[in-house]
Amino acid sequence: MANYDVIVIGAGVSGLTAAALLARAGLGVCVLEEQPRPGGCLQGFRRGEFEFDTAVQWLNGMGPAGMSGRLLEHLGGDSPPCPPLKQFQRYKGQNHDYLLTTEPELMRDAMVADFPAQAEGIHRIFADAEDLGRKMSKLHRLSLAFETMPPWTKMFRGMGMLFWYPGIRRHLRPGLEEGLARYVNDPAFARIFIAEEKLSTVLVPMAWAYQGDLYAPPRGGSLALVHWIMKQIRKDGSEIILNERVEEVLLQGRRAVGVRCASGLVAKAPHVICASDVDQLYNRLLPPEATTQKFRSRLRDADLFYSSLSLYLGLDCDPRELGLGQEQVLLTRDDVPRAEQMCTTPDRVALSVLAPSLRDPSLAPAGMGTVTIHCPALLEDHESWGTGDALERGERYKEIKQRQALVLLERVDRELCPGLSSKVSMMETATPVTFERYTRNRGGSLLGTKASDRNIKARIAHYITPVKGLLLAGHWAEYSGGVPMALKAAANTSLILLKQINRKAFKELCSVMDA
């Protein structure tokens, strides 16, 4: 039996960051990870001469003024730098092609030239996006969770949010059709954004563009960041154990006191942080009496982000020869209804296409390159994956996976990169079954819980569990996913714990988060 101050379940970026912050504060931390590779959704993989990230298109807040950048600086001044992006989103359909860069006015002016009758509305879209960017930039200085604050601070922060939130609420809540109708009345213009769910998903990339707040993963891919955080944990005397599946959170009364692993390892600690899927926690690691049926049902019914059908390609040429750049391409079909752009068959759904090696040449040999193709998909369509309820990956699954991969490849070849198929020297495919298997996130979700009205009303996101001494980090602690939210969750979870046991470290980390 081993004893620690804190046990962290899950070596995704959030669990590792929480462990690093607590180890830096002098606590003895043990991170337990079921998989042989750390990183969760960032773990990536190598095939031959090619290195792949699994799902990262861009990062924000990684500069010196951003929350993520400040946290990494707090952990150590030598974190791998994330290069800023100048061009990052291309909207490509059968009848449109626009590129969003750190000079958003270039895209605005191209749209006005194509839709002169909508000029006034287009100018207002970009003006509102610029204003939203200014307001969003304040979030980098307002990252503390309410659970970390004393009552008087909560009161003042709440008053501040009352003034700040209404200015962005009108941009964040409307659906796509309702939102765009405020600006334009041309269906052809609306089709540019046909794959978006809400007005906010149109405006937010533009807002980041105005702020210049978009970054690529560091050299070596996002796994380089994972390995650097692991180095900080070990440097501060704490421990990371891979290939160690946690089977049970040990309780003494209604308080967590450690964990028991499948190998027989028993690790004791007065504090446990779960940085893995919350369904696994409440339905497998804890006894039913630890929570109520109503509580578990509420979590089960939460709105989750999609999983993905993903194609990873190694090319025998530079991707620029195929017309690709550093930007992510959002590839849509004008003749497919918006509902089917969200999650349907690969020949109809919206695609995300990226050439990571154009941002980071270390991912491929000289003169070669990598391309990734992602589209939203659902694990619950298990019959369409040929797995059955048990998610068995037999011959039928392999056949379906290969067939769907070829549909993606042929479509991108036809609609975006003529000649792509002839340049492929290596191909790997991942389905929602793959993402569920390697991340254990429910449904293989890549970004966790949506900031939907339903989720917010049900208070799905939470740090403090019904079990004393047991906290959450990761994508269940905050709405919306991605690396910045995972880092934010890690920091707030660490603060909640440090507030109880190390006031000096608590105040120091507060000053980093609330710059």
Side-chain angles (χ1 to χ4, degrees):
M1 184 173 70
N3 291 283
Y4 303 92
D5 296 315
V6 186
I7 293 167
V8 178
I9 304 170
V13 68
S14 193
L16 290 171
T17 302
L21 291 169
L22 295 170
R24 190 184 187 281
L27 300 179
V29 185
C30 179
V31 183
L32 298 169
E33 168 58 49
E34 175 183 349
Q35 297 294 332
R37 289 168 63 91
C41 286
L42 303 187
Q43 62 186 272
F45 61 94
R46 173 173 281 277
R47 290 292 183 272
E49 301 176 290
F50 301 100
E51 188 79 34
F52 293 93
D53 270 327
T54 45
V56 176
Q57 284 85 40
W58 57 54
L59 305 168
N60 68 301
M62 302 301 288
M67 179 208 67
S68 301
R70 295 197 311 271
L71 274 177
L72 296 178
E73 179 68 23
H74 176 69
L75 287 176
D78 61 342
S79 63
C82 295
L85 290 171
K86 293 187 179 296
Q87 51 191 61
F88 43 86
Q89 181 104 308
R90 180 179 167 195
Y91 299 87
K92 174 73 170 72
Q94 291 155 299
N95 297 299
H96 66 264
D97 194 349
Y98 299 103
L99 179 62
L100 180 61
T101 71
T102 48
E103 298 180 81
E105 293 85 358
L106 296 177
M107 185 168 104
R108 179 199 66 193
D109 294 345
M111 289 177 162
V112 168
D114 290 341
F115 298 92
Q118 306 297 324
E120 180 186 352
I122 294 170
H123 275 271
R124 285 195 292 112
I125 288 174
F126 282 80
D128 281 353
E130 185 175 15
D131 180 63
L132 179 62
R134 286 192 293 266
K135 289 182 168 66
M136 286 171 54
S137 69
K138 296 181 181 180
L139 285 175
H140 291 311
R141 303 189 300 275
L142 299 169
S143 300
L144 290 177
F146 275 87
E147 291 89 340
T148 68
M149 303 176 190
W152 62 271
T153 306
K154 289 181 184 179
M155 180 181 69
F156 283 108
R157 176 58 57 82
M159 291 173 62
M161 294 294 281
L162 285 175
F163 287 99
W164 175 82
Y165 181 64
I168 68 167
R169 184 178 184 273
R170 65 192 183 93
H171 303 314
L172 299 182
R173 292 180 66 89
L176 182 73
E177 291 93 345
E178 173 196 350
L180 284 180
R182 298 174 178 176
Y183 302 99
V184 297
N185 58 12
D186 188 331
F189 181 87
R191 279 197 292 273
I192 298 168
F193 305 107
I194 196 170
E196 308 294 355
E197 288 189 76
K198 303 180 74 173
L199 177 65
S200 61
T201 53
V202 173
L203 295 180
V204 167
M206 297 177 188
W208 283 334
Y210 275 108
Q211 293 296 311
D213 188 20
L214 281 163
Y215 297 80
R219 183 175 178 83
S222 55
L223 198 59
L225 183 61
V226 169
H227 286 153
W228 180 83
I229 297 172
M230 292 173 68
K231 184 180 76 172
Q232 308 312 305
I233 294 170
R234 288 169 172 149
K235 184 175 70 175
D236 287 324
S238 285
E239 199 174 347
I240 303 160
I241 305 177
L242 303 177
N243 275 318
E244 194 67 80
R245 176 182 170 91
V246 174
E247 289 289 344
E248 180 185 5
V249 174
L250 300 175
L251 302 182
Q252 192 172 74
R254 292 191 60 81
R255 183 175 187 87
V257 294
V259 300
R260 179 181 58 79
C261 299
S263 67
L265 171 69
V266 174
K268 290 295 190 73
H271 305 281
V272 177
I273 295 172
C274 180
S276 59
D277 185 74
V278 77
D279 271 15
Q280 294 281 323
L281 173 66
Y282 290 124
N283 293 311
R284 186 175 67 82
L285 303 184
L286 289 170
E289 61 270 17
T291 56
T292 65
Q293 180 61 45
K294 182 178 179 181
F295 179 82
R296 293 192 297 275
S297 297
R298 203 169 69 232
L299 295 176
R300 187 181 60 247
D301 295 338
D303 296 323
L304 301 184
F305 281 100
Y306 299 116
S307 186
S308 178
L309 171 65
S310 299
L311 193 58
Y312 303 93
L313 305 175
L315 307 183
D316 61 11
C317 72
D318 187 312
R320 282 172 288 207
E321 296 178 22
L322 300 170
L324 295 174
Q326 291 189 341
E327 69 278 355
Q328 174 187 232
V329 182
L330 188 61
L331 185 64
T332 57
R333 286 182 50 176
D334 299 349
D335 59 339
V336 173
R338 191 171 76 84
E340 294 185 44
Q341 302 273 355
M342 302 298 175
C343 200
T344 183
T345 55
D347 60 330
R348 298 173 71 79
V349 72
L351 305 182
S352 164
V353 184
L354 185 68
S357 61
L358 294 184
R359 301 175 176 184
D360 178 4
S362 74
L363 301 178
M368 304 176 79
T370 60
V371 168
T372 60
I373 304 169
H374 303 285
C375 69
L378 295 173
L379 178 66
E380 63 195 47
D381 296 334
H382 53 79
E383 287 303 331
S384 66
W385 302 112
T387 63
D389 292 330
L391 301 181
E392 297 170 354
R393 294 171 292 114
E395 289 304 315
R396 184 162 176 261
Y397 168 72
K398 294 175 184 177
E399 291 171 8
I400 291 173
K401 184 168 79 165
Q402 180 69 8
R403 185 166 66 245
Q404 300 228 27
L406 290 176
V407 171
L408 287 182
L409 180 60
E410 291 166 3
R411 182 176 163 197
V412 175
D413 190 316
R414 181 177 64 253
E415 298 177 17
L416 181 66
C417 302
L420 171 65
S421 300
S422 66
K423 300 296 184 180
V424 174
S425 61
M426 175 251 120
M427 183 169 75
E428 186 72 58
T429 309
T431 71
V433 179
T434 314
F435 288 110
E436 193 277 339
R437 179 180 167 217
Y438 282 101
T439 69
R440 294 301 183 196
N441 289 343
R442 191 177 99 201
S445 173
L446 295 178
L447 294 174
T449 52
K450 294 182 179 181
S452 65
D453 290 343
R454 180 184 181 187
N455 281 352
I456 293 170
K457 184 177 180 180
R459 299 181 180 179
I460 294 300
H462 59 289
Y463 286 97
I464 298 173
T465 75
V467 177
K468 291 181 180 179
L470 176 62
L471 298 173
L472 294 186
H475 69 269
W476 281 100
E478 287 282 348
Y479 297 113
S480 299
V483 172
M485 279 298 182
L487 296 178
K488 177 183 177 182
N492 277 310
T493 301
S494 301
L495 282 169
I496 293 169
L497 197 156
L498 291 173
K499 186 179 178 182
Q500 305 171 40
I501 60 177
N502 188 331
R503 295 291 297 184
K504 181 180 178 181
F506 170 77
K507 290 178 180 179
E508 183 181 2
L509 184 52
C510 276
S511 68
V512 173
M513 288 287 285
D514 218 6

